[in-house]
Amino acid sequence: MYELEEKGYLYFLIVIPIMAMLFLYIQFWKRKKQREFGDLDLIKKLSPEKSVFKPALKVILVLLGVVFLIIGLVNPKIGTKMETVKREGIDIIFAVDVSKSMLAEDVAPNRLEKSKQLVSQIINNLGNDRIGIVAYSGSAFPVLPITTDYGVAKMFLQSMNPGMISAQGTSIDQAINLALTFVDKKDKTNKLLIIITDGEDHSDSAQDAAEEAKKVGLKIMTIGVGTEKGGTIPLKRNGVVESFQRDQEGEVVITKRNAEVLKTIAKSANGGYIDGNSTKAVLDYVKNALDNIQKTEFESTQMADFKSQFQWFLGFGFFVLFLDVFLLERKTKWVKKMNLFNEKEN
């Protein structure tokens, strides 16, 4: 197995065919000028020590050296083996509200971006725990299944937006029900669902869903983002506010955080609630909660021992270019005697 660390440098390989075509053009141009100057056989006799094939050999060495230098810049890494690593942790599923109300800017920069920041910071403080991500509004969507790859998780997290789910509204029960599909009842690993939302639930089934989660051992922690005072929902185009979300009567919608709903849901599933407007308070609360949840041993297969190989390619590239400097275009005596390239004088 291998991986390429800096793939962008591969674009430099385009210079190889350009240099080759330039060399061929120069050779063609030389031949043409030699024919104009005089007879080719006579010109060969005037320069008997000039090799026919060495100019091409020198160009090949230069091209080969450049190729190896570019590959060295790419830095290929080779994994020596696959190994199974045993870890201790829990399964954490993040359910992020992506409804339009999360675009309210009563917390900076807005509720949704604040939610992403919170999830990202929580992930940064995790150890060996496995994580999954769910997005929801009027329905729920599985963004990332259970994994130990935190880098991929944060990449998917940043791509989340209200447009990814067509059904509008906020149905927390949909998020809980989808999170339950992540749970393997035969797996004894402890599990935690962290719901990040403003608490504006448009369904009446969230508490029932939370009680179902409790039955299968899925604890629920809720994080409320937004303010009790609330805020408007700006509708933007190219970053510029054009208008604000309005209701059916044409009135500007004021969306408020509903902490009571979130407290009830968390309590129904043996969890807790925390105000999400303070990042430090959330991180401390989550850390304390995770410390009090028993870790379970599970296995995770991963590639181990990826080692950089750039030094070999750079070294060989410089060696070939160094060799080219000392390679003269005159005929080599022992090659001349063998007459491999028909270089004997007539």
Side-chain angles (χ1 to χ4, degrees):
M1 296 293 290
Y2 69 93
E3 65 177 20
L4 305 177
E5 186 175 42
E6 300 290 345
K7 295 181 181 179
Y9 287 111
L10 289 175
Y11 289 109
F12 289 135
L13 290 174
I14 192 66
V15 304
I16 302 302
I18 294 174
M19 292 173 66
M21 288 188 291
L22 182 61
F23 171 74
L24 293 175
Y25 172 78
I26 292 174
Q27 294 302 110
F28 174 79
W29 178 82
K30 283 183 177 180
R31 280 276 183 174
K32 182 179 178 183
K33 291 301 179 182
Q34 286 174 350
R35 287 193 182 97
E36 294 176 0
F37 179 75
D39 183 70
L40 291 180
D41 291 334
L42 181 60
I43 293 174
K44 288 181 181 179
K45 290 180 179 181
L46 292 174
S47 53
E49 295 301 318
K50 183 174 177 60
S51 175
V52 175
F53 84 98
K54 278 191 176 180
L57 179 60
K58 285 176 67 65
V59 170
I60 291 173
L61 287 176
V62 170
L63 295 180
L64 188 63
V66 172
V67 168
F68 275 94
L69 291 179
I70 292 173
I71 295 176
L73 293 174
V74 172
N75 189 18
K77 292 185 175 182
I78 298 178
T80 57
K81 60 182 178 179
M82 292 288 290
E83 65 178 17
T84 300
V85 180
K86 288 188 176 181
R87 300 168 176 258
E88 282 191 348
I90 67 172
D91 289 346
I92 303 173
I93 305 165
F94 295 96
V96 181
D97 186 352
V98 294
S99 60
K100 284 188 176 180
S101 66
M102 295 296 286
L103 297 177
E105 298 177 346
D106 50 347
V107 293
N110 61 43
R111 294 177 184 176
L112 180 56
E113 292 303 317
K114 179 67 174 180
S115 300
K116 293 180 183 180
Q117 292 172 12
L118 290 173
V119 175
S120 183
Q121 289 296 318
I122 292 172
I123 291 175
N124 288 341
N125 286 277
L126 296 178
N128 295 322
D129 305 297
R130 298 185 296 192
I131 58 176
I133 300 177
V134 168
Y136 76 96
S137 54
S139 60
F141 177 78
V143 176
L144 184 71
I146 294 294
T147 180
T148 55
D149 193 331
Y150 295 170
V152 170
K154 288 190 282 188
M155 181 182 69
F156 277 96
L157 177 68
Q158 294 307 314
S159 67
M160 296 171 66
N161 62 82
M164 66 190 303
I165 298 178
S166 57
Q168 290 302 309
T170 308
S171 299
I172 298 177
D173 62 306
Q174 295 283 339
I176 298 173
N177 290 332
L178 180 57
L180 286 172
T181 65
F182 283 44
V183 175
D184 183 356
K185 295 180 180 180
K186 296 180 181 179
D187 186 356
K188 301 302 181 181
T189 305
N190 286 318
K191 300 165 181 66
L192 173 66
L193 171 62
I194 301 179
I195 302 175
I196 305 96
T197 177
D198 54 22
E200 282 199 341
D201 186 20
H202 297 164
S203 70
D204 299 321
S205 306
Q207 187 172 348
D208 293 337
E211 290 174 355
E212 286 298 317
K214 179 182 178 180
K215 292 179 182 178
V216 297
L218 178 63
K219 293 184 178 181
I220 297 178
M221 177 188 298
T222 56
I223 301 176
V225 181
T227 62
E228 304 294 340
K229 181 180 178 181
T232 57
I233 304 172
L235 303 178
K236 298 181 179 181
R237 177 176 293 180
N238 298 325
V240 179
V241 178
E242 291 188 332
S243 60
F244 295 91
Q245 186 76 32
R246 295 178 180 272
D247 58 22
Q248 295 180 348
E249 286 73 34
E251 298 293 329
V252 174
V253 173
I254 302 297
T255 173
K256 302 178 181 180
R257 183 184 66 188
N258 192 336
E260 293 305 315
V261 168
L262 299 179
K263 290 177 182 177
T264 301
I265 292 172
K267 185 177 180 181
S268 299
N270 289 338
Y273 166 80
I274 180 68
D275 185 330
N277 295 333
S278 170
T279 302
K280 185 178 184 305
V282 170
L283 296 179
D284 290 342
Y285 183 83
V286 172
K287 182 179 183 302
N288 183 65
L290 295 180
D291 288 342
N292 290 318
I293 298 178
Q294 183 179 357
K295 305 295 187 294
T296 308
E297 184 179 277
F298 55 84
E299 291 185 342
S300 176
T301 302
Q302 62 181 18
M303 176 61 71
D305 295 335
F306 271 106
K307 295 181 180 179
S308 296
Q309 306 295 325
F310 70 92
Q311 64 275 10
W312 299 104
F313 293 96
L314 291 180
F316 189 74
F318 283 121
F319 172 76
V320 171
L321 293 177
F322 181 78
L323 186 65
D324 175 75
V325 172
F326 293 94
L327 185 64
L328 303 178
E329 294 190 4
R330 291 163 49 186
K331 294 178 180 178
T332 305
K333 291 183 179 180
W334 64 271
V335 174
K336 181 180 178 181
K337 290 179 181 179
M338 295 178 67
N339 196 27
L340 294 175
F341 301 95
N342 296 320
E343 292 188 318
K344 279 189 177 180
E345 299 177 17
N346 295 323

